Amino acid sequence: MDQHQGRVVSVQLLRFLAAAVVAGGHLAFAFSDHVAGGLGLDRSVARASNHASQSAVALFFLVSGYIMVVASQRLFGVKGGTQAFWLRRAVRILPPYWIATALLVAVFLWLGREVDAGHLLRSLALVPGYGADGARPLPILWPGWTLFYEMLFYLLFGLGISAGRWPAVFVAAGGIAALVLLGTVLASPGAVLFSATRPVSLLFPIGMALALWREGGGELPAPLRVALALAVVPAMALVPRSTGDALDFAYLLWAGLPALLLFAAVVGGPLRVPGPQVADVLGGMSYALYLLHLPVAWIWAAFYPGFLYALGPWFHFASLLGGAFVISLGFYLWIERPLTAALNRRVAVAGRRT
């Protein structure tokens, strides 16, 4: 595999691409399109951007399934591996999310917007409640709805990790399949169970299966990989976004299929990536970009100099997106990465004492 410091470089680039697509779509159509006369783009472009953003989310889930199989080698079959895995994932996911949520809440309070304390506490704990569309859990930092599914997957994957790689995979895949099956027969589940049984979680086992196939020596011919990559846009055009529950089986088709085509094309064989160090940093900062682009956008809305509005909405978008990139990179290098390393060291020390 194309690796740098133990990480798959091509997957790191996919992580950055997915985060950039989500951030770009949100910043363009939730913020810059409302500046002056707007970006002047047809509504079909906004719909295509939303479609691409949802496929990017599906790509995140595929990547997570893949990476957990690849990156957990040292914990498979190790006594205490389950606890170590859960603690490391919590350390990796929760503190940056809490910081980003706190930043967004601070901006909201500065702007005089009300923040419901109960909603905030549920958001910080990743306890889902019904969103406005009744389809997905929506925390205050609303891109964080995906983290509920990430943590659910980590919970299931970690249950079997001390027994070995295959038990971890089987427990996670079997648990997700059982939850989805349960969701098909429940008449009126509460918000938590409704969210936990959404078919979107099936993307994690698909990512795990690709990792097992790849590590077992599987490889796609280069022409087929090119064809898969070229099929992404036609797949998005030919399978229109469905209405209704955005996380149902239809979601797996219209959002998941383009993501799977691209993912299989990239990980289906060796891929030389120039500048692996840069790619690794971009992949590393992807989580910060995913979390921080909304707080940054609200800060832009609060403090954007009035005279710059004369430069138009496209300048607003470019400065906003560029600012989100720079702030996310700085957050990753100087806050997220050192904080995660320090917390992991403390977790390791605590584990040795017990």
Side-chain angles (χ1 to χ4, degrees):
M1 292 186 179
D2 51 315
Q3 296 204 2
H4 176 72
Q5 295 183 351
R7 289 180 287 273
V8 184
V9 177
S10 57
V11 174
Q12 288 288 80
L13 282 179
L14 283 179
R15 292 176 61 205
F16 175 74
L17 173 65
V21 168
V22 171
H26 288 166
L27 299 182
F29 295 104
F31 293 91
S32 294
D33 201 33
H34 301 280
V35 172
L39 297 173
L41 298 174
D42 187 83
R43 288 296 92 189
S44 62
V45 179
R47 288 192 295 270
S49 173
N50 185 271
H51 195 157
S53 294
Q54 292 303 313
S55 290
V57 169
L59 183 59
F60 276 130
F61 292 164
L62 290 168
V63 166
S64 291
Y66 189 97
I67 287 298
M68 288 308 102
V69 172
V70 173
S72 302
Q73 298 292 341
R74 295 181 181 179
L75 297 177
F76 289 136
V78 175
K79 183 180 179 181
T82 292
Q83 180 184 9
F85 175 80
W86 285 339
L87 287 173
R88 290 181 185 180
R89 298 321 299 168
V91 162
R92 176 71 181 90
I93 297 297
L94 294 177
Y97 168 67
W98 289 336
I99 293 172
T101 299
L103 179 59
L104 182 61
V105 168
V107 176
F108 281 169
L109 294 176
W110 175 271
L111 294 175
R113 293 169 59 98
E114 290 188 5
V115 175
D116 181 81
H119 188 198
L120 174 58
L121 291 176
R122 290 192 301 272
S123 297
L124 293 175
L126 294 178
V127 176
Y130 287 120
D133 60 357
R136 65 185 69 190
L138 286 182
I140 287 178
L141 183 67
W142 42 269
W145 70 265
T146 61
L147 300 183
F148 170 79
Y149 294 97
E150 294 280 354
M151 298 302 282
L152 177 63
F153 167 59
Y154 298 151
L155 172 65
L156 294 170
F157 189 83
L159 283 174
I161 207 168
S162 292
R165 182 174 67 172
W166 283 104
V169 170
F170 283 139
V171 170
I176 288 172
L179 284 170
V180 172
L181 181 61
L182 179 63
T184 64
V185 299
L186 288 177
S188 55
V192 174
L193 193 55
F194 176 83
S195 299
T197 56
R198 294 303 83 209
V200 66
S201 295
L202 293 171
L203 290 165
F204 295 109
I206 295 173
M208 291 192 297
L210 283 171
L212 293 170
W213 169 77
R214 189 74 179 93
E215 291 206 324
E219 184 175 327
L220 296 176
L224 178 56
R225 294 171 64 196
V226 172
L228 291 175
L230 294 176
V232 171
V233 174
M236 293 181 65
L238 296 175
V239 185
R241 173 171 178 164
S242 63
T243 57
D245 179 11
L247 304 177
D248 59 5
F249 286 103
Y251 182 93
L252 295 178
L253 183 61
W254 66 261
L257 178 59
L260 179 57
L261 291 171
L262 178 60
F263 190 60
V266 171
V267 304
L271 183 65
R272 294 193 61 183
V273 177
Q277 297 89 346
V278 174
D280 190 46
V281 170
L282 291 176
M285 69 166 279
S286 62
Y287 185 47
L289 179 60
Y290 185 75
L291 294 177
L292 289 176
H293 69 274
L294 279 188
V296 169
W298 280 104
I299 291 172
W300 242 245
F303 299 104
Y304 192 71
F307 68 90
L308 291 181
Y309 281 101
L311 298 177
W314 280 102
F315 179 83
H316 181 273
F317 173 65
S319 64
L320 178 52
L321 186 60
F325 281 176
V326 171
I327 291 171
S328 298
L329 178 60
F331 181 85
Y332 167 66
L333 292 176
W334 298 314
I335 298 177
E336 179 187 346
R337 190 164 66 175
L339 176 61
T340 301
L343 290 175
N344 275 325
R345 285 193 296 269
R346 298 197 67 172
V347 165
V349 170
R352 285 195 296 268
R353 289 174 178 171
T354 58

